[in-house]
Amino acid sequence: MIIKLYNGNPNVREVRKIADTLRDGGIAILPTDTLYCFACSMEHKKAAETIAHLKGFNLKQAKYSMLCASLSQASEYVRAMDKDTFALLKSCLPGPYTFIMEASGSVPRNYQNANKTIGIRVPENDITRAIIEEVGNPLICTSVRPLGEEDEPENYCDPELIHDRFGERVDMVVDGGIADTEASTVVDCSDDIEVIRQGKGELNL
């Protein structure tokens, strides 16, 4: 199933339908401000395991991020931030960044990385933020580009092509238009603040 929504004015009825599917343990492919991503509710471990398989992860090595509707929501799932880290996130979010943070006890261990961290995303995309708000909790996500497939990024930016490849293996693809070909900038804030992958977002640290 493919559902067309418009950034800036997503249809409320369709947003509720997508949120209901995710709350029930479904998997959706959602637009962000960078690449499209696989997403599921953090309440459903089986859905996250299916996403790992689609991505090509070894489940024990899977690296998920949390899609949040706001910095306020994200702060409920990470350890207390110092003033400088909070100011950095506030200045960048919503935006094309993934911030690696120390996970709080609210994050199930199976989504945490080996060092008990989690990637936090608040995308500048009204469609996906509206869906997260309707679900009522963050979504677990990872980009749709499978591991080892770095060529032809346009195949993972066009929702029609994404639907052709994954449409029968997920519950729905949300068409929010052509995505960016560049991934998010990843910033590790779990110790010192350090850019570990330069992507779409730019930081002056």
Side-chain angles (χ1 to χ4, degrees):
M1 177 189 300
I2 189 165
I3 298 175
K4 176 67 178 178
L5 291 176
Y6 295 92
N7 195 28
N9 188 29
N11 182 283
V12 174
R13 182 178 298 178
E14 297 288 10
V15 166
R16 288 174 180 164
K17 180 194 300 183
I18 297 161
D20 286 344
T21 297
L22 290 166
R23 275 195 295 263
D24 289 342
I27 297 170
I29 293 177
L30 302 178
T32 71
D33 47 2
T34 55
L35 305 171
Y36 273 82
C37 68
F38 296 112
C40 69
S41 169
M42 66 186 301
E43 305 296 324
H44 292 280
K45 181 180 177 181
K46 186 175 180 180
E49 290 173 347
T50 300
I51 288 174
H53 179 71
L54 290 170
K55 177 77 174 185
F57 281 142
N58 176 317
L59 188 58
K60 293 182 179 180
Q61 298 174 334
K63 293 184 179 180
Y64 300 105
S65 293
M66 282 200 315
L67 278 175
C68 300
S70 64
L71 176 55
S72 176
Q73 185 184 60
S75 66
E76 299 175 20
Y77 295 87
V78 299
R79 301 289 183 188
M81 293 176 254
D82 62 37
K83 182 170 64 175
D84 290 341
T85 302
F86 180 80
L88 174 64
L89 268 65
K90 187 175 181 180
S91 70
C92 293
L93 299 176
Y97 302 92
T98 301
F99 289 99
I100 308 299
M101 311 289 294
E102 288 186 69
S104 73
S106 299
V107 180
R109 286 294 302 275
N110 49 294
Y111 301 135
Q112 298 179 28
N113 298 325
N115 52 356
K116 299 182 181 180
T117 59
I118 186 76
I120 298 294
R121 285 226 59 202
V122 183
E124 192 170 4
N125 185 286
D126 296 333
I127 296 168
T128 294
R129 291 206 313 273
I131 292 167
I132 299 165
E133 288 176 355
E134 186 65 29
V135 170
N137 56 254
L139 302 177
I140 296 300
C141 76
T142 186
S143 72
V144 296
R145 185 183 295 171
L147 293 183
E149 294 192 20
E150 301 299 329
D151 296 333
E152 300 181 353
E154 63 274 8
N155 289 342
Y156 306 106
C157 301
D158 185 327
E160 295 287 347
L161 295 177
I162 292 170
H163 183 263
D164 288 345
R165 178 162 184 175
F166 296 110
E168 294 185 359
R169 303 170 71 186
V170 300
D171 293 277
M172 56 186 59
V173 176
V174 178
D175 178 356
I178 300 297
D180 203 296
T181 58
E182 198 169 11
S184 64
T185 290
V186 178
V187 185
D188 190 343
C189 298
S190 61
D191 190 8
D192 294 330
I193 297 174
E194 179 185 5
V195 175
I196 60 175
R197 183 183 74 192
Q198 183 61 56
K200 183 177 178 181
E202 294 187 8
L203 289 179
N204 295 314
L205 298 178

